[in-house]
Amino acid sequence: MILESIGIQDFRKLADRLVIDELTPGLNLICGPNEAGKSTIAEAIRIAFLERYKVSGLGGLVPKSRPDGQPTVEVSFDIRGVKHTLKKQFVRKQRCELRIGTQVFTEDEAEEELAKLVGFSRAERGASRPEHAGIPGLLWVRQGQTNDVRDPGGHASGYIREALSKLAGGETSRGDDALINKVQGELFKLLTEKAKKPTGSLAAVEADLSRLQNERDTLEQQLRNFDEDINRLGTLQAEFGEVQRSRPWEALQEKAAAALKRAESFDQMERKHKELAQKLEIAVMEHKALLQQEQLAVELETSAKNDSEALEAALAAAGQAGEAYQRAADCVATAQKANDEANALLETANAAVLANELKRQLEAQRSDISRIEEALGKATEASEVVRELTRQAALTEIDAEKMKTLQAVCDQMVPLQARRDAALTRIEYRLTGTITVDGAPVEGEGVVLLDGQKTIGLPGLGELVIIPGVSDVSELIAALQDLETERGKLLLELGVSSLVDAVERHTRWKSLTAEKTSHAKILDAHAPKGLDALRTELEQARGRLAATQERLQGLPDVSSALPVADAKASFDTARIQLEAARTTLMSASEAKTQTAAGASGIRERLEGSEARLKDPEFVARRQRCQTDLVDKASHISEYKRNLEMSTQQLDIAKLDDPRTEAERYTQSATLMRAEQLARQQKISSLRVQLETLGGTGLGDRLAQTVATIDQAESRRGELRRRADALNLLESVLVEERDAAVAALRKPLTGRIEHYLKRIFPTGEMTVDDGLTPVGLLRGSQFETLDSLSYGTQEQLGFLARLAYADLLQSAGKPTLLLFDDAVVHTDDARRDAIKRALLDAASRHQILVFTCHPSAWNDLGVKQRHLEDLKAASRAAA
């Protein structure tokens, strides 16, 4: 099977039409970055072949960018020289068309024919599942599933076994012997294929037998229950008659009434107890209030006595405070006078200090004026020099760029002049006479450079014409002449006679500029803000000098002034003494005021207390209060005795709560009546139930059910024996078939070994009876596939699919290998081995490899087809 072209439209990420044609029969590499659409192309091929065109649930094929798109896949392929074309549309206008040469198949017929051609089975309904994928499911590998070969191999095992059988010359139907299929068909009518559980008629017989046994058990239980209910009915009737005669609930009701009477008497006792407690509480509160009134009267008498004594002490303290205040006032006056005298002396001393400071400032200001005048002179001189140097620099300034160009021209001329001198013919002469060179006389010793043809006259002998033999002298001379012309032009523009003159002039200009900068710094040092600012500063200094002289003249005579420290010490002493005297005076004033106020307050409080104690109404109320205190104390004693007796009576009565007893007796009577009523209802229900069951013929039904069970057990025995015989026959046939499969396994292991030795030269892959790989044997060590690293599993899965393809192709099955980003987890050495195996397989099969690592596959000698280029070509063709 050779794919020739693939056309995809409105399929997931591929909204625009994409056409991949000119696919080669061997290896095809399709490259692109992640999410470019490689897996979408592989999935489009898989869905076009394996999915039914009418299957629902494929709405995800519609591109999100084109929600009204029509997912379409068209594949052209060749099988044994016959051209095939498959076109499918999904989701909306669902259709399927398969062209085989000149034949055209459509819809379901086309899909049936396609399944036969490629080697897979159609799902009866719903989406295709892995077990339907057959050969494509094994050889078309999704991204990240290269390592998984057992499940796809198991689903394709029928096709593989059929291919091996054809290679061995045997006959088989999808890998199973016809007789085994027949036996299994009969066996599987009675037992399930895997679990060997009953099914079909055997399951139906066993189900009927189980139902009949349950029915028998139910009837037997009902018969036992019928007998038990008869006995129970007699017992209930006897109990009902006995209780109905004795009527025990009536006695309980009488006990409840008696308990209620006791509860009423207990309530009266509680009310009396509460009344006594309340009276006691009120009496105690009244007695307490009377005690408080008497206490207040006693406190008032005590307070009057204390205030009388305190008044005498307060009056004495007030007299002492007045005398102390007068003494303090005299001390303040004396201290104030001493403070004023000390302050006058301090001011004179401070004036003397200020006079000295002003004299110092005068000297500093005169010095400052001298400094500013000197700086102004130097700054003025530097300003004049800067102006003159600026003028001279302007006269000597030269264009630096042109001078650089002149220097470059002269530098170019030096090697050319050297080359010219080296190239010119040199004639060294040492003459005793005179000759001519181009008519000019030459004598003595020297050198003649011939920059062109020269005629040398030899007196008495004739002439010599000398022509230089170097061919490029004229070119050198021409180049030198051009440079000399340019040099002359530059010298003229710069106004100098030579490069040396220009350099000297430029050096002079830089010297003047540097000197100007130096004097400018001197100017900036003396007048950083300019000459005008310096002049202004001079005027300000002179003004400050005049002001200082005026302040000095305005000071008083300080010839007799004390030293400041002495004057300050005298003033501080006087000030401290004044402040101490004032503090004493303030304290004496506060003490005088407070003692006078205290005496006045005590006098007022004493007068009020004495007036209240002498008030006739207060005296009468106090006498009544004292009489009531005695009466209340007597009542409280009586109330306490009565309350204690009532408490004892209540405690005795609380030992048995009559109200609780009444509730208990009432509840018990109610329960007894309810039990009797329930007993009566059970008797009625049992009578009805027994009458109903008695008329159903339980015994006859049970006997009939037992006979039916015997028949069902006989039928189950027959079917069980048939199933056991068929199972034994199927086991014998399968063993024979498996022996044949073991012989068929050798070609598969041989093809696997053909590829495996490239990576594991001494390794051997083991294959189970289902013809799928189970492990790797290296030397004496066996490892299951699951125990190997992911990368090794992936490599073995890749090689095993190449081996399967070889076997299927040898049996005439269409083979197409498709790998989506396979062998990613592989080192360079194993990848090279896999590449060699891939190229070997590509000589027999068409292989499509989708990869996002083109650099890993660029040494296969196969053109890489980049997905972006394919998209661009498809757009251009559209």
Side-chain angles (χ1 to χ4, degrees):
M1 175 179 174
I2 305 298
L3 289 186
E4 296 177 343
S5 67
I6 307 166
I8 304 172
Q9 176 76 41
D10 294 337
F11 196 97
R12 291 187 178 169
K13 292 186 176 182
L14 302 176
D16 297 327
R17 180 169 175 76
L18 173 66
V19 177
I20 306 175
D21 53 10
E22 299 180 0
L23 294 170
T24 64
L27 181 59
N28 296 267
L29 291 175
I30 300 176
C31 309
N34 288 327
E35 298 190 352
K38 303 184 302 300
S39 297
T40 302
I41 297 171
E43 195 66 15
I45 296 172
R46 185 177 290 103
I47 288 178
F49 279 94
L50 302 181
E51 290 292 353
R52 294 186 301 116
Y53 72 101
K54 284 186 176 181
V55 69
S56 59
L58 294 181
L61 299 182
V62 180
K64 293 182 179 179
S65 61
R66 189 175 294 170
D68 58 343
Q70 172 66 66
T72 304
V73 183
E74 185 173 352
V75 184
S76 296
F77 55 99
D78 181 281
I79 297 180
R80 291 183 289 276
V82 180
K83 184 176 179 61
H84 295 64
T85 302
L86 170 65
K87 184 175 182 180
K88 279 190 180 182
Q89 293 181 180
F90 301 95
V91 183
R92 290 184 172 84
K93 298 178 181 178
Q94 301 164 327
R95 60 186 298 267
C96 173
E97 179 181 283
L98 175 65
R99 292 180 178 270
I100 305 177
T102 58
Q103 291 182 292
V104 179
F105 301 93
T106 60
E107 316 307 354
D108 291 344
E109 184 182 12
E111 291 192 333
E112 291 288 351
E113 193 65 27
L114 185 65
K116 294 176 184 177
L117 282 171
V118 182
F120 65 91
S121 59
R122 295 177 65 218
E124 293 298 328
R125 59 178 179 273
S128 175
R129 294 187 296 275
E131 55 265 29
H132 299 137
I135 295 174
L138 177 62
L139 302 184
W140 300 354
V141 186
R142 282 189 169 99
Q143 187 179 47
Q145 296 183 2
T146 312
N147 64 306
D148 183 12
V149 68
R150 285 186 54 78
D151 289 342
H155 301 323
S157 62
Y159 300 97
I160 297 170
R161 188 176 294 123
E162 182 179 357
L164 291 171
S165 298
K166 285 185 179 180
L167 293 176
E171 294 183 358
T172 184
S173 174
R174 298 295 302 273
D176 295 330
D177 184 82
L179 179 58
I180 292 178
N181 287 340
K182 181 64 176 175
V183 172
Q184 287 179 341
E186 293 298 321
L187 175 61
F188 296 155
K189 290 179 182 178
L190 299 175
L191 296 176
T192 59
E193 181 175 357
K194 293 183 179 180
K196 295 294 188 268
K197 292 183 178 180
T199 187
S201 57
L202 178 57
V205 168
E206 291 199 345
D208 289 342
L209 180 59
S210 177
R211 178 183 56 78
L212 290 169
Q213 289 173 343
N214 291 334
E215 185 177 347
R216 178 197 61 193
D217 294 342
T218 301
L219 290 173
E220 289 177 347
Q221 183 62 40
Q222 288 180 351
L223 190 59
R224 287 193 295 272
N225 291 342
F226 182 79
D227 294 338
E228 290 175 358
D229 289 343
I230 291 176
N231 295 331
R232 187 181 177 196
L233 177 60
T235 301
L236 285 173
Q237 287 177 338
E239 290 177 354
F240 180 80
E242 178 63 26
V243 171
Q244 195 66 23
R245 285 191 298 273
S246 61
R247 303 178 70 82
W249 54 84
E250 293 180 353
L252 292 172
Q253 289 174 346
E254 292 176 356
K255 290 181 178 180
L260 285 176
K261 289 181 179 180
R262 292 198 304 274
E264 291 177 359
S265 175
F266 179 79
D267 292 342
Q268 290 178 358
M269 291 174 63
E270 275 192 333
R271 286 194 295 272
K272 182 178 179 182
H273 183 270
K274 288 180 180 179
E275 290 175 359
L276 287 173
Q278 188 175 12
K279 289 179 179 179
L280 176 61
E281 183 179 0
I282 292 171
V284 169
M285 291 174 63
E286 291 176 348
H287 184 266
K288 186 176 180 179
L290 292 171
L291 281 176
Q292 289 176 350
Q293 291 179 9
E294 179 60 22
Q295 183 65 29
L296 289 174
V298 173
E299 289 176 356
L300 185 60
E301 288 178 344
T302 303
S303 176
K305 182 179 179 181
N306 293 337
D307 286 345
S308 178
E309 296 174 355
L311 179 60
E312 293 179 2
L315 291 174
Q320 294 174 359
E323 294 174 357
Y325 174 78
Q326 187 59 45
R327 288 193 299 271
D330 295 340
C331 289
V332 167
T334 302
Q336 183 65 50
K337 181 179 180 181
N339 181 74
D340 292 342
E341 293 174 353
N343 186 42
L345 293 174
L346 179 60
E347 287 179 355
T348 302
N350 287 333
V353 172
L354 179 58
N356 293 331
E357 176 64 21
L358 291 175
K359 290 176 182 179
R360 186 192 62 77
Q361 289 181 9
L362 285 173
E363 293 177 0
Q365 289 168 353
R366 291 190 183 99
S367 176
D368 197 23
I369 290 172
S370 298
R371 178 187 60 77
I372 296 172
E373 288 175 344
E374 182 182 359
L376 181 60
K378 291 181 179 180
T380 302
E381 181 182 355
S383 177
E384 293 297 329
V385 173
V386 168
R387 188 180 298 109
E388 178 60 23
L389 290 174
T390 301
R391 184 186 65 80
Q392 293 180 11
L395 294 175
T396 58
E397 187 175 4
I398 190 169
D399 191 329
E401 294 298 326
K402 289 184 178 180
M403 195 185 76
K404 290 180 181 179
T405 305
L406 176 62
Q407 180 69 54
V409 170
C410 293
D411 290 344
Q412 293 177 26
M413 289 177 66
V414 171
L416 291 178
Q417 288 171 344
R419 289 176 58 194
R420 182 198 63 183
D421 294 341
L424 291 177
T425 301
R426 298 167 57 88
I427 299 177
E428 295 182 1
Y429 59 89
R430 287 179 292 277
L431 301 173
T432 55
T434 302
I435 64 172
T436 61
V437 177
D438 285 345
V442 175
E443 60 184 359
E445 295 181 359
V447 176
V448 176
L449 296 175
L450 303 182
D451 55 358
Q453 179 177 319
K454 298 287 185 182
T455 301
I456 300 175
L458 302 175
L461 295 176
E463 295 179 344
L464 292 176
V465 177
I466 301 175
I467 301 172
V470 180
S471 61
D472 61 347
V473 174
S474 59
E475 295 179 359
L476 289 172
I477 294 172
L480 277 171
Q481 287 175 349
D482 291 340
L483 289 173
E484 287 174 353
T485 301
E486 187 176 356
R487 182 182 64 177
K489 180 182 177 183
L490 290 170
L491 290 173
L492 182 62
E493 291 176 352
L494 292 172
V496 295
S497 59
S498 65
L499 176 62
V500 175
D501 190 12
V503 172
E504 289 179 352
R505 183 173 168 182
H506 185 64
T507 302
R508 173 62 178 160
W509 174 80
K510 289 196 293 183
S511 176
L512 290 171
T513 302
E515 188 177 358
K516 182 186 72 172
T517 303
S518 177
H519 282 84
K521 289 181 179 178
I522 294 173
L523 173 62
D524 186 62
H526 290 293
K529 297 181 180 179
L531 291 174
D532 292 339
L534 194 59
R535 294 188 185 98
T536 301
E537 186 180 357
L538 178 59
E539 294 300 324
Q540 291 175 348
R542 289 171 177 169
R544 286 194 294 273
L545 177 63
T548 302
Q549 291 174 339
E550 183 178 355
R551 286 183 63 194
L552 182 60
Q553 293 173 359
L555 291 176
D557 181 20
V558 293
S559 57
S560 60
L562 295 174
V564 174
D566 295 343
K568 183 70 167 57
S570 298
F571 175 73
D572 289 342
T573 301
R575 180 173 54 80
I576 292 170
Q577 291 175 352
L578 176 61
E579 289 177 357
R582 286 175 177 172
T583 301
T584 303
L585 177 63
M586 185 177 295
S587 300
S589 176
E590 290 178 357
K592 177 183 176 183
T593 303
Q594 288 176 357
T595 53
S600 177
I602 293 172
R603 184 182 291 107
E604 291 177 358
R605 189 167 62 250
L606 177 60
E607 291 175 354
S609 298
E610 289 177 345
R612 189 175 179 188
L613 287 171
K614 294 176 180 179
D615 183 15
E617 184 178 353
F618 176 81
V619 173
R621 187 166 59 251
R622 184 177 181 187
Q623 291 176 352
R624 287 197 301 273
C625 177
Q626 291 172 347
T627 302
D628 292 340
L629 275 173
V630 176
D631 294 341
K632 289 298 179 184
S634 175
H635 292 160
I636 288 172
S637 298
E638 183 180 357
Y639 289 151
K640 285 182 178 180
R641 288 193 300 271
N642 294 336
L643 185 62
E644 185 177 355
M645 293 174 60
S646 175
T647 301
Q648 292 175 356
Q649 293 174 355
L650 277 176
D651 291 339
I652 294 171
K654 284 181 180 179
L655 293 176
D656 295 317
D657 186 359
R659 196 173 302 281
T660 302
E661 287 187 355
E663 293 177 357
R664 175 165 56 86
Y665 291 140
T666 302
Q667 183 67 20
S668 299
T670 302
L671 289 174
M672 285 186 176
R673 291 181 64 86
E675 286 177 0
Q676 183 67 351
L677 180 62
R679 194 177 288 113
Q680 185 179 8
Q681 291 175 349
K682 288 179 182 178
I683 290 171
S684 301
S685 176
L686 277 174
R687 283 175 178 171
V688 173
Q689 184 176 346
L690 290 173
E691 290 173 358
T692 301
L693 288 175
T696 60
L698 281 176
D700 296 340
R701 288 166 56 198
L702 178 60
Q704 185 178 358
T705 300
V706 170
T708 306
I709 287 174
D710 293 338
Q711 295 175 359
E713 287 179 341
S714 176
R715 175 60 177 161
R716 182 184 65 174
E718 293 175 2
L719 293 176
R720 273 290 180 185
R721 288 190 293 275
R722 176 176 174 77
D724 292 343
L726 288 172
N727 192 28
L728 177 61
L729 180 59
E730 190 256 355
S731 299
V732 172
L733 293 175
V734 169
E735 287 178 3
E736 293 295 328
R737 192 269 318 276
D738 289 345
V741 169
L744 296 177
R745 191 184 298 129
K746 186 174 181 180
L748 175 59
T749 56
R751 291 313 300 168
I752 292 177
E753 182 182 355
H754 170 75
Y755 293 107
L756 185 65
K757 65 184 180 182
R758 299 180 184 275
I759 297 180
F760 304 105
T762 61
E764 179 182 348
M765 191 184 298
T766 58
V767 181
D768 62 9
D769 292 341
L771 301 177
T772 59
V774 294
L776 180 65
L777 181 64
R778 286 185 278 193
S780 60
Q781 183 178 3
F782 176 77
E783 299 172 274
T784 63
L785 288 181
D786 295 339
S787 67
L788 297 172
S789 69
Y790 184 85
T792 302
Q793 293 182 44
E794 191 179 42
Q795 296 149 23
L796 294 177
F798 188 93
L799 298 179
R801 285 175 169 86
L802 300 182
Y804 282 129
D806 287 351
L807 292 174
L808 291 168
Q809 186 185 60
S810 299
K813 297 293 184 182
T815 58
L816 165 67
L817 287 157
L818 189 154
F819 296 100
D820 187 3
D821 264 344
V823 291
V824 175
H825 306 85
T826 303
D827 58 40
D828 294 338
R830 289 191 179 182
R831 185 179 287 108
D832 288 341
I834 286 175
K835 289 177 184 177
R836 290 192 291 273
L838 184 65
L839 291 172
D840 179 15
S843 64
R844 294 180 294 278
H845 310 284
Q846 185 184 43
I847 304 176
L848 272 63
V849 175
F850 297 88
T851 180
C852 61
H853 302 285
S855 60
W857 304 89
N858 59 9
D859 57 353
L860 293 175
V862 177
K863 178 183 178 181
Q864 294 186 355
R865 307 187 68 181
H866 293 274
L867 191 53
E868 293 302 323
D869 296 339
L870 295 171
K871 291 179 180 178
S874 300
R875 288 194 296 270

